[in-house]
Amino acid sequence: MVEQCSDQLAYGIAIMAGAFTLVFFRREASNFGWILLGIGIVLVFFSGGVFFRSTSLWNLFVAFASLTVGYKLFNEGRINF
């Protein structure tokens, strides 16, 4: 149990470090950030720590809209309606 918990912590740290690198060191270490992010995501899926549930079309639409607006806000700094 403790070993599984420490593995999930390591995967989470890899994902957070990759995201942190991509956000704050975009020009200096962009490739390294993508590598860390990819390794963390692959390890989480291989460990079996992801459970898929069925979701409604409305939830999918809201999630996609949130991701799109957040991406646009992050890149351009504003949202055009």
Side-chain angles (χ1 to χ4, degrees):
M1 180 75 172
V2 173
E3 184 177 314
Q4 182 182 8
C5 215
S6 66
D7 288 344
Q8 289 176 352
L9 180 64
Y11 307 153
I13 289 174
I15 291 172
M16 288 187 295
F20 182 82
T21 303
L22 285 173
V23 169
F24 293 108
F25 303 109
R26 185 178 300 182
R27 295 182 189 198
E28 296 88 6
S30 174
N31 291 336
F32 182 64
W34 283 113
I35 290 169
L36 282 176
L37 198 62
I39 287 172
I41 290 171
V42 166
L43 289 176
V44 165
F45 275 102
F46 282 152
S47 72
V50 176
F51 299 101
F52 293 106
R53 296 184 326 185
S54 62
T55 183
S56 70
L57 187 58
W58 175 248
N59 287 344
L60 183 65
F61 174 73
V62 169
F64 182 72
S66 298
L67 284 171
T68 304
V69 168
Y71 178 76
K72 187 167 181 160
L73 187 62
F74 184 71
N75 280 334
E76 296 180 9
R78 62 189 171 101
I79 301 168
N80 296 330
F81 288 107

